Amino acid sequence: MLTTSVNAAEKVLARCQTLARFSEDREGTRRTFLSPPMHDCHREVSQWLAEVGVSTRVDAAGNLRGIYPGATPDAPRLLMGSHLDTVPNAGAYDGILGVTLAVALLEGLEGRRLPFAIEVVGLSEEEGVRFGRPFIGSRALVGRLDDELLDCRDAQGISVRRALEDFGLPVNEIPQARLDADVLSYLEFHIEQGPVLEDLGFALGAVEAIAGQSRLEFTFAGRANHAGTTPMHLRHDALAGAAEWIVAVEKAAEVAAGASKGLVATVGVLDVKPGAVNCIPGQARLSLDVRHASDEVRENAVKDLVQRAQEIAQRRELRLSSKMLLDQRAVAMDTFFVAQIAEAMRKVGCAPHRMVSGAGHDAMILAEQVPAAMIFLRTPGGVSHDPSETVRAGDITKAIACGMQLLEQLAGSREFLTRTRRA
Ligand code: HGY
Ligand code: MN
Ligand code: MN
């Protein structure tokens, strides 16, 4: 019989807290793409996996991978995991919980072999913090870690390629990181990172689709000058122009969200030059993040916000440039897999609530190659990307029970075991 117990949940919580201590910063959790603390993370997760007889490797894209064998050597495999990188000043559960729950399911099997193997993956980069490009690890699994991405540079001018080499990885072996044909599906547990499940009083959610997201960089360029001697009517203040646009972004998104429920737009990064108290800013560089479940709504919103930036720049005689960093289409999860998850949720006494994810996830990349689905856990307070991010032990217990039930269902499902990979 499969076992799930409260102490399994406590173990998951403790393990997430352990990984949260592996940080680039003395205070708070920051673990960006292949930074030194990622070695500690790999060592720790590998120890947990070794305890269930799974040896691990790090693929050429920095993904930690380990296979729990199936009943036969040629058994196909279920891929399960999430990302091990974090945002700055992160919580302890975003991404990490998906890896620790995958390990907990292997422990729950207690050595039992299923008709499929289970590959646990700790993905190297989902947030896009270091290079402004998310999903580096999962893009390698679907064969899209290309030269354009490898040549991207971080704030120190280090390329993705160099970061891989500095981590001791064989860049020439990136093609081998790609998933082969016997991966049946990808399952990712993740915190919801929003208020929906808490609002409904549900522990778990079955993700039906992941909203599309656009990430852009805008630069307003004016004229740096002396703050004391330059009269107001002679200024070309880049930051004032950017500030006017930031408020316009918020207003436009509020109006659009009224018409197309669920639209969100955020300016999260602002970099000002020369950045001195007594200098009129000559340059303001900022980010834009726009999301919606409908690609058409999202794309129209981006067009509108670019136009507003151009109008403001023109009126203020500023120069404007913009760069698309990510244009990620909305992705539907695999209907068969979502139905199996909903059934497993029901069987363990959870409301089989289906929902759309406003946050992006590696599952949207892996879905290009294998059927993918996600199980959300309630986020108390709806807060994420912050140290106050948390998850309830009781919901973890339910997630483990749901996962074990799902494995049982998949082990008995001819449809699942005979799935073929998408072309
Ligand atoms: O930004 C996101 O949607 C995810 O948390 N990386
Ligand atoms: Mn995140
Ligand atoms: Mn995440």
Side-chain angles (χ1 to χ4, degrees), residues 298-329:
R298 172 175 56 88
E299 285 155 3
N300 288 340
V302 169
K303 274 193 205 113
D304 172 55
L305 295 176
V306 169
Q307 208 173 334
R308 290 169 188 266
Q310 285 162 345
E311 281 158 15
I312 291 169
Q314 197 172 13
R315 177 165 32 85
R316 289 170 170 265
E317 293 175 23
L318 300 173
R319 292 178 310 287
L320 175 74
S321 59
S322 63
K323 190 166 66 171
M324 181 66 79
L325 298 177
L326 174 75
D327 184 4
Q328 173 60 50
R329 304 185 62 76

Side-chain angles (χ1 to χ4, degrees), residues 172-330:
N172 62 319
E173 292 178 16
I174 283 177
Q176 285 88 300
R178 182 168 187 170
L179 294 179
D180 42 29
D182 58 7
V183 174
L184 295 166
S185 290
Y186 171 69
L187 173 64
E188 181 170 1
F189 286 94
H190 203 289
I191 50 173
E192 176 205 335
Q193 300 182 288
V196 172
L197 289 173
E198 182 174 52
D199 210 26
L200 293 167
F202 294 155
L204 305 178
V207 177
E208 287 192 303
I210 301 176
Q213 56 177 289
S214 304
R215 294 189 188 186
L216 297 89
E217 178 183 283
F218 286 78
T219 304
F220 287 85
R223 192 172 321 130
N225 212 326
H226 196 296
T229 56
T230 314
M232 294 310 288
H233 69 286
L234 295 180
R235 295 181 176 210
H236 300 283
D237 183 333
L239 180 53
E244 182 181 347
W245 183 65
I246 293 170
V247 173
V249 165
E250 185 188 45
K251 288 262 164 301
E254 280 167 353
V255 169
S260 342
K261 202 167 159 312
L263 181 92
V264 286
T266 314
V267 174
V269 175
L270 176 61
D271 173 57
V272 180
K273 286 195 171 40
V277 171
N278 58 350
C279 297
I280 299 168
Q283 180 183 294
R285 192 171 54 80
L286 55 175
S287 65
L288 176 69
D289 176 318
V290 180
R291 314 224 185 164
H292 197 270
S294 145
D295 292 327
E296 191 193 353
V297 168
R298 172 175 56 88
E299 285 155 3
N300 288 340
V302 169
K303 274 193 205 113
D304 172 55
L305 295 176
V306 169
Q307 208 173 334
R308 290 169 188 266
Q310 285 162 345
E311 281 158 15
I312 291 169
Q314 197 172 13
R315 177 165 32 85
R316 289 170 170 265
E317 293 175 23
L318 300 173
R319 292 178 310 287
L320 175 74
S321 59
S322 63
K323 190 166 66 171
M324 181 66 79
L325 298 177
L326 174 75
D327 184 4
Q328 173 60 50
R329 304 185 62 76

Side-chain angles (χ1 to χ4, degrees), residues 83 85-87 90 94-95 126-127 190-191 193 215 291 359-361 384-385 389:
H83 59 93
D85 66 307
T86 76
V87 292
D94 174 4
E126 185 272 346
E127 299 288 2
H190 203 289
I191 50 173
Q193 300 182 288
R215 294 189 188 186
R291 314 224 185 164
H361 296 288
S384 181
H385 283 187
E389 175 186 285

Side-chain angles (χ1 to χ4, degrees), residues 6 8 73 76 118 143 147 154 211 236 247 262 274 337 391:
V6 173
I118 296 174
D147 284 342
D154 65 11
H236 300 283
V247 173
F337 209 1
V391 64

